[in-house]
């Protein structure tokens, strides 16, 4: 796909294909696309859909976010960040001890190596071809739970 130059006139849309476009000819096609929110993988990250937290974590999103204050995300995904695998394992163990099914609901990725543990409703995508690579995560089939 051709990338528009900064001097082209038109509208700027953020699309699910991760590339901005301002080509007026694609306007109808863009209107049909669902805008996908993404979260960058930073250091070693665990991702959990907020819909799964709301449905399966004791106390829902409010309790989860109160217990895991170092996490962040977007309207659909919650991301826990760690500097080491042992630190991340400790965070995930705490979540599992509350009765949350980590095998079914938690995905794990490294900021350069990409996904280590994938689940069906969280998608990982490498962005660009730079070195080191950059990765993003997106939740599938979501409803806003904020």
């Amino acid at each position: 796909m051709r990338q528009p130059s900064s001097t082209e006139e038109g509208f700027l849309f953020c699309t699910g294909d991760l590339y901005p476009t301002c080509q007026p000819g694609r306007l109808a096609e863009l209107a049909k696309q669902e805008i996908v929110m993404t979260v960058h993988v930073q250091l070693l990250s665990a991702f959990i859909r907020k819909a799964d937290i709301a449905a399966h974590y004791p106390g829902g999103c409010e309790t989860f976010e109160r217990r895991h204050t170092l996490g962040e995300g977007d309207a659909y995904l919650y991301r826990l960040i760690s500097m080491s695998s042992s630190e991340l394992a400790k965070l995930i163990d705490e979540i599992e001890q509350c009765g949350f099914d980590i095998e079914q609901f938690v995905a794990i990725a490294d900021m350069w190596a990409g996904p280590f543990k994938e689940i069906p409703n969280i998608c990982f995508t490498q962005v660009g071809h730079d070195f080191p690579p950059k990765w993003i995560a997106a939740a599938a089939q979501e409803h806003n739970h904020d």
Side-chain angles (χ1 to χ4, degrees), residues 72-99:
E72 56 183 43
D74 66 9
Y76 304 106
L77 275 181
Y78 197 79
R79 174 186 64 198
L80 296 168
I81 302 171
S82 175
M83 297 277 293
S84 69
S85 58
S86 61
E87 184 182 317
L88 186 64
K90 181 181 173 189
L91 291 171
I92 292 172
D93 286 345
E94 290 173 10
I95 294 168
E96 185 176 35
Q97 288 173 2
C98 291

Side-chain angles (χ1 to χ4, degrees), residues 7 12 24 32 68 89 92 108 113 120-121 125 137 143:
T7 60
L12 180 65
K32 295 177 185 177
H68 303 284
I92 292 172
I108 300 171
N121 289 323
T125 305
H143 301 287

Side-chain angles (χ1 to χ4, degrees), residues 7-36:
T7 60
E8 286 182 275
E9 292 185 42
F11 298 98
L12 180 65
F13 291 90
C14 184
T15 67
D17 64 5
L18 304 178
Y19 294 104
T21 182
C22 53
Q23 301 169 7
R26 290 196 56 208
L27 201 55
E29 179 185 338
L30 293 172
K32 295 177 185 177
Q33 290 186 358
E34 179 180 341
I35 294 178
V36 177

Side-chain angles (χ1 to χ4, degrees), residues 7-141:
T7 60
E8 286 182 275
E9 292 185 42
F11 298 98
L12 180 65
F13 291 90
C14 184
T15 67
D17 64 5
L18 304 178
Y19 294 104
T21 182
C22 53
Q23 301 169 7
R26 290 196 56 208
L27 201 55
E29 179 185 338
L30 293 172
K32 295 177 185 177
Q33 290 186 358
E34 179 180 341
I35 294 178
V36 177
M37 296 183 76
T38 61
V39 178
H40 286 273
V41 177
Q42 293 182 334
L43 302 174
L44 190 55
S45 302
F47 294 89
I48 308 167
R49 293 183 332 144
K50 288 187 176 182
D52 294 331
I53 295 170
H56 303 286
Y57 190 85
C61 290
E62 185 178 320
T63 301
F64 185 91
E65 290 177 6
R66 191 173 43 243
R67 289 182 180 160
H68 303 284
T69 57
L70 296 178
E72 56 183 43
D74 66 9
Y76 304 106
L77 275 181
Y78 197 79
R79 174 186 64 198
L80 296 168
I81 302 171
S82 175
M83 297 277 293
S84 69
S85 58
S86 61
E87 184 182 317
L88 186 64
K90 181 181 173 189
L91 291 171
I92 292 172
D93 286 345
E94 290 173 10
I95 294 168
E96 185 176 35
Q97 288 173 2
C98 291
F100 192 76
D101 185 352
I102 61 169
E103 290 303 315
Q104 184 176 355
F105 300 122
V106 178
I108 300 171
D110 177 81
M111 65 189 253
W112 292 322
F116 287 137
K117 179 182 178 289
E118 296 183 72
I119 62 170
N121 289 323
I122 298 177
C123 307
F124 292 98
T125 305
Q126 184 177 348
V127 180
H129 301 287
D130 298 333
F131 185 82
K134 293 178 179 71
W135 289 87
I136 57 171
Q141 302 173 1

